[in-house]
Amino acid sequence: MKFNKYTFFLIGYLIQNIIFWIGIQFSKITDLPINLLYSFSNGFLGTAAGIMGILISRHWGGSKSAVGKGVLLISLGITSWGLGTLIWSFYNFVLHVPVPYPSWADLGYTLAVPLWTIGVFYLSKATGAKFSLRQLRGRLMLILLPLLAAVASYYFLYVIARKSSFVVEGGLLKIFLDFYYPLGDWIILTVAFLIFGLSLQYLGGRFRWPVMILILGFVFMFISDFTFSYTTTVESYYNGHLADLLFTVAIFVISFGVAGFDTKET
């Protein structure tokens, strides 16, 4: 995988945000505008990286090819997540109010999961995953890997993050989101496990590193969601928390994987 203008931008932005985050930690600031600015920075990263991915998908014919569809949908998912985070920041940074739950930010977050899932499905067509399903090993993975992801999701997102407590309250939309977010995290982890397990022996050439990096990015997204869920449960979260840095890394890694599909490498 060669570096290009997109990867250089992403690396530069990651370094900037890491320095930004370290500064927040050393200053021990938790409730000033600089904290809100970090969340805004994450939203900008997601939105900009998503748009770059959409441009990259055009090199593969956009919706006319499996790779093009995969890159396009994953990029739309990144954009959706970024817009959700910008809306989150708008509540805090502009309106100066706590982010309500549910809010319009949740629309961006909820749309990201199906876009990523369908996008990875199309990419799997180009990575040889379907050939694995013709073998007993592949069919076993199709059963066992989602179960493994379910166990991991249950333990981290329910036992640890929510301390084995799940209270159903509020309106229908809130109840829906309370169930949807853990389910979405399970889907993200399952997708990462499946594409890795089913495609590993067939990955080669220009696809290998971009796909591997994408998988790593979705694992980071699961870790980020877990950290955010846990810190909000124990009421230790603030804008600029470690959870936000993990979101920075997750979006960076997913976007870096997408950038690897750029056919006009420089």
Side-chain angles (χ1 to χ4, degrees):
M1 176 176 168
K2 297 181 180 179
F3 286 73
N4 53 53
K5 59 184 178 182
Y6 300 118
T7 55
F8 282 124
F9 168 80
L10 291 169
I11 291 172
Y13 204 97
L14 175 66
I15 293 173
Q16 167 199 279
N17 268 26
I18 290 176
I19 294 173
F20 189 2
W21 183 83
I22 291 174
I24 291 176
Q25 305 314 305
F26 272 106
S27 63
K28 300 186 183 301
I29 296 172
T30 60
D31 58 355
L32 291 181
I34 191 172
N35 298 86
L36 307 180
L37 189 60
Y38 188 89
S39 294
F40 176 83
S41 180
N42 268 355
F44 179 81
L45 171 62
T47 305
I51 293 173
M52 289 190 301
I54 293 171
L55 295 176
I56 291 172
S57 72
R58 296 170 62 185
H59 302 164
W60 294 90
S63 60
K64 296 179 181 179
S65 70
V67 175
K69 287 179 182 177
V71 172
L72 175 62
L73 289 167
I74 291 173
S75 300
L76 287 173
I78 298 171
T79 305
S80 182
W81 187 94
L83 291 174
T85 304
L86 287 178
I87 295 171
W88 169 289
S89 301
F90 181 80
Y91 280 108
N92 284 326
F93 201 66
V94 179
L95 299 181
H96 304 291
V97 297
V99 181
Y101 178 66
S103 73
W104 286 106
D106 292 295
L107 179 61
Y109 298 140
T110 54
L111 286 176
V113 174
L115 287 169
W116 283 334
T117 304
I118 301 172
V120 170
F121 168 76
Y122 278 110
L123 275 187
S124 69
K125 290 186 173 183
T127 59
K130 62 182 179 181
F131 298 112
S132 287
L133 294 177
R134 298 175 183 176
Q135 306 170 9
L136 177 60
R137 173 177 172 273
R139 291 193 289 271
L140 286 174
M141 283 188 176
L142 188 62
I143 298 172
L144 295 177
L145 291 179
L147 289 176
L148 177 61
V151 171
S153 298
Y154 173 81
Y155 179 73
F156 286 106
L157 299 175
Y158 178 70
V159 176
I160 297 181
R162 293 182 177 270
K163 298 185 179 297
S164 300
S165 175
F166 193 89
V167 179
V168 179
E169 60 182 8
L172 289 177
L173 182 56
K174 180 182 180 300
I175 294 173
F176 168 77
L177 291 175
D178 284 343
F179 282 97
Y180 179 87
Y181 280 129
L183 178 63
D185 287 326
W186 170 70
I187 292 173
I188 289 173
L189 194 61
T190 299
V191 163
F193 282 177
L194 282 177
I195 194 172
F196 178 79
L198 296 177
S199 305
L200 182 61
Q201 63 178 318
Y202 296 102
L203 284 175
R206 66 172 297 110
F207 286 122
R208 183 176 182 84
W209 282 111
V211 171
M212 295 292 284
I213 292 170
L214 272 175
I215 294 169
L216 181 62
F218 288 124
V219 172
F220 268 117
M221 183 57 71
F222 177 86
I223 295 172
S224 304
D225 282 338
F226 157 71
T227 306
F228 177 77
S229 181
Y230 175 76
T231 53
T232 52
T233 298
V234 300
E235 299 182 348
S236 64
Y237 174 80
Y238 58 88
N239 286 292
H241 189 276
L242 173 63
D244 288 330
L245 177 64
L246 290 174
F247 279 125
T248 301
V249 174
I251 289 298
F252 163 79
V253 177
I254 295 172
S255 303
F256 199 85
V258 169
F261 285 91
D262 182 25
T263 57
K264 296 182 179 180
E265 296 172 326
T266 56

